[in-house]
Amino acid sequence: MTTPPDESLRIAALDALSRRVNNALADARKEAEPGLAALRVKGVKQLEVALPSGDVVGTISIKAGRDTVTDDEDALLAWVEANKPEEIEHAVSPNALDLPDVVAYIRKLHPGMVGKRVRPAYRAKLLASLDEDGQLANETTGELVQVRKVVKGKPTGEFALTFETAKKGRPNGRDQIANAWQSGDLSITDLIRPALEAGEQS
């Protein structure tokens, strides 16, 4: 069975145009990110998306930069040894598993393969109790010990687009855009022409 000529052309045309528009959407998102990153640095977290009529159809939420967290395991171990030594346990190095000796004898036969570590449950509890600067206070002297370093990530401009939901007789944001286009209040041609002219990118 063959597809009627009109339907064949409709399918081919929609497929060709959808690919170009999708490529243009990806490009538009990338091009918007530097400007959105600059706004986030200035404290702007959200932008309203509005039609020429002023009707809000959605919201762009600008994401914060990703923080890099580094825990100083030596400092943490030293703090626990000084404050809660009972929370220290001996741990066998993974390299010891390559040796034929029984794990129970590793400490005796291969002491260099055995190190110290904070018990996992207590470690999690301590890290959850750090102050905002990543420090723990010595329980005897009150001296602050830095055990975590947080490097604030710069905003990249990454964002999420959320369309308005339908409410009180008003259609959702996607439908509002479609209605504005169909009524002539919004020119989609100017928005997608660069995509059509650029051609499909592989």
Side-chain angles (χ1 to χ4, degrees), residues 19-123:
R19 290 177 186 234
R20 293 190 181 188
V21 170
N22 285 336
N23 286 337
L25 173 59
D27 290 343
R29 292 182 71 97
K30 288 179 184 177
E31 290 167 6
E33 287 181 352
L36 293 175
L39 288 174
R40 180 67 197 224
V41 169
K42 294 178 181 178
V44 178
K45 297 181 180 179
Q46 290 188 329
L47 296 173
E48 287 186 340
V49 181
L51 292 170
S53 64
D55 292 329
V56 175
V57 295
T59 303
I60 284 181
S61 300
I62 310 171
K63 298 182 180 181
R66 292 185 175 89
D67 296 344
T68 301
V69 177
T70 305
D71 294 325
D72 187 333
E73 298 296 338
D74 291 337
L76 184 63
L77 180 63
W79 186 95
V80 176
E81 285 185 314
N83 294 276
K84 294 285 184 181
E86 68 274 17
E87 295 292 346
I88 297 294
E89 64 183 7
H90 286 90
V92 177
S93 165
N95 294 332
L97 301 177
D98 295 332
L99 300 173
D101 310 283
V102 180
V103 173
Y105 291 96
I106 289 178
R107 189 174 181 192
K108 177 180 178 182
L109 300 176
H110 306 285
M113 289 275 179
V114 178
K116 294 179 179 180
R117 72 177 183 185
V118 181
R119 295 183 191 280
Y122 188 64
R123 179 182 185 279

